[in-house]
Amino acid sequence: MPTYLLDRTIKGEKNAGERCWLTGLLAAAAWLAAGLFTTYWPDANRQWPYSQAWAYLQLALGVALLALALSYRRWNGRGQRLQRAGQWLVALPLFFSLWQLLTAKTGVLPVPFFAPPQALIEVYLTDWPRLLNSLYHSLSLLLLGVAIGTLAGFVSGVAIGWSQRIGYWVHPILRILGPVPSTALLPLCLFIFPSSFGASVFLIALATWFPVTVLTWSGVANIDKAYYDVARTLGASQRFLIFHVAIPAALPSVFVGLFMGLGASFSVLIVAEMVGVKAGIGFYLQWAQGWAAYPNMYAALIVMAFLCSGLISLLFFIRDRLLGWQKGVMKW
């Protein structure tokens, strides 16, 4: 075949493949099939409320994905995030269908310990004021504790990494107190602090303080000494070396400590809210478990997962903006 004909054939096949989004078509078919499955397969033991609403939602997602797949040429190149999520858009309806099959449709997983997606929709539509109030209290408690722990960890990490004299006194305390789980100190904190809120803030701050301190200390201690020598040659003072050399160079390690501290603070948050606190996601989980309201418990766990994911995404966004000058040096 002549070269120009081969090039034209390859180009034509490429343009034909770009006329529609094949993964989107598959995802649309999966969501439409899931909606039909929810509608026409009868429930086993009881008619779950909001089943038809859940089916309409699945069918609407299928129709929307079908429209996006057929109009692929119009938005190709601008929806890279949607294209990357294509395989997840195929897997999710399969997961939800399997979930319904084992719970609402066949009853293999017993009620009330396991509930179908319709039950969670009912919780979000009927109990959203209590969930929203719990989310507000948990977020307030978490942000206050993480802020205090981050500030204390950053200051102590810089001090230990910069000064051997401070490290001599703080390092043993860090090695003894740091590995102890914060939740193990809960009874002592409830006795020392005048309120359960103050004890919860202290435990969350302690869980954040340890990884931020260790990673900040490591970042400051591992800075190339040549940076300090060059700055001193140019007449830099001690304060300039700390604030303009040591801290900026250690910021990537600081953010690693923040990610670790945020994950640890969530586990402490739930335990702390289960003891003495009168509002929050942990309190809501304990209340739902006490009344055997397992759909409410699962709904609260999903809210907590989205809260954690959102805060981590926000932290990534702040890191990318603050450390944009290091993208060519470090792998993100």
Side-chain angles (χ1 to χ4, degrees), residues 65-153:
L65 286 171
L66 180 62
L68 286 172
L70 295 178
S71 61
Y72 178 68
R73 296 182 65 181
R74 295 179 178 273
W75 56 271
N76 183 21
R78 293 174 297 180
Q80 296 180 358
R81 183 172 298 181
L82 179 62
Q83 294 182 58
R84 286 197 300 268
Q87 297 180 11
W88 275 104
L89 293 174
V90 177
L92 281 176
L94 301 178
F95 168 74
F96 285 129
S97 298
L98 179 62
W99 183 1
Q100 284 193 96
L101 179 66
L102 296 176
T103 53
K105 303 303 182 182
T106 62
V108 173
L109 299 177
V111 177
F113 302 102
F114 300 94
Q118 298 94 311
L120 271 67
I121 294 176
E122 181 181 8
V123 172
Y124 289 130
L125 291 178
T126 59
D127 204 27
W128 65 266
R130 187 181 300 176
L131 274 172
L132 191 61
N133 182 59
S134 299
L135 179 63
Y136 167 75
H137 283 86
S138 292
L139 190 60
S140 302
L141 180 61
L142 180 71
L143 292 181
L144 181 59
V146 170
I148 295 174
T150 299
L151 180 61

Side-chain angles (χ1 to χ4, degrees), residues 246-286:
I247 291 178
L251 280 180
S253 299
V254 174
F255 274 97
V256 175
L258 278 173
F259 289 125
M260 297 175 62
L262 188 61
S265 65
F266 264 91
S267 60
V268 176
L269 171 71
I270 298 302
V271 175
E273 285 185 335
M274 287 183 175
V275 183
V277 178
K278 297 182 179 180
I281 297 296
F283 174 82
Y284 188 91
L285 286 171
Q286 189 180 34

Side-chain angles (χ1 to χ4, degrees), residues 304-315:
M304 180 187 170
F306 276 104
L307 174 62
C308 182
S309 176
L311 290 177
I312 290 177
S313 299
L314 178 62
L315 201 56

